[in-house]
Amino acid sequence: EVQVVESGGGLVQPGGSLRLTCAASGFTFDDYAIGWLRQAPGKEREGVSCISSSEGSTYYPNSVKGRFTISRDNAKNTVYLQMNGLKAEDTAIYYCAARSEHGGGCTTFQIADYWGKGVLVTVSS
C-alpha cells in the first residue's frame, strides 16, 4: 500500500520558520522526484518545490526562492521542506507529491503519481 504522509504544519508568526516532513512508503522511493505543492483558499494549486530522485536538481518558484529549501534522505524515504521567512501569503495547505523520473520527475510533478493528504500551514500574528 502506498502511503505519503506530511507532518510539521502549524501556526507560525510572520518571519518565522517551519519544517515540513514527507514520509513515503509502498513504492521505490529512489525512482521518484518528490515535490511540495500548496493551495490557499480561493486560489489555484501552486508548486513550491521539487527535488529529483538523485538530488541532482531542485526547483523553486520565485515566490519562495531563497526562503524555502527542499532536501531528501533516501535511506529514510523522507523529504523535508525547510521554510524560513514565512509570510502571510504562504498560508495554505501543503501537499507532498511523488512523480516517477520515468514520467518526467520535477518537470511534471504537478500531475504526481502519489499524493499526501496535506498539512495546514498558517502564518499569522
Side-chain angles (χ1 to χ4, degrees):
E1 179 189 4
V2 171
Q3 288 193 323
V4 178
V5 181
E6 304 94 338
S7 61
L11 173 65
V12 63
Q13 291 187 343
S17 298
L18 281 176
R19 188 176 81 156
L20 303 183
T21 298
C22 173
S25 61
F27 59 95
T28 307
F29 189 76
D30 295 7
D31 290 343
Y32 283 74
I34 306 294
W36 289 92
L37 301 95
R38 67 186 181 188
Q39 188 162 23
K43 294 189 177 181
E44 292 188 356
R45 190 172 58 200
E46 172 192 22
V48 296
S49 189
C50 188
I51 186 166
S52 66
S53 59
S54 63
E55 304 179 67
S57 64
T58 56
Y59 160 80
Y60 305 96
N62 288 336
S63 58
V64 307
K65 196 171 292 183
R67 300 189 297 122
F68 290 11
T69 303
I70 192 170
S71 61
R72 66 189 289 161
D73 184 339
N74 285 348
K76 295 182 178 180
N77 285 14
T78 300
V79 168
Y80 306 98
L81 183 67
Q82 179 67 43
M83 305 186 295
N84 299 328
L86 284 162
K87 306 175 182 180
E89 52 262 42
D90 294 318
T91 295
I93 297 175
Y94 284 70
Y95 299 91
C96 180
R99 180 64 169 170
S100 70
E101 292 291 357
H102 179 74
C106 282
T107 61
T108 59
F109 78 102
Q110 299 209 36
I111 48 171
D113 299 295
Y114 306 117
W115 292 88
K117 293 182 178 180
V119 62
L120 178 63
V121 171
T122 303
V123 185
S124 175
S125 55

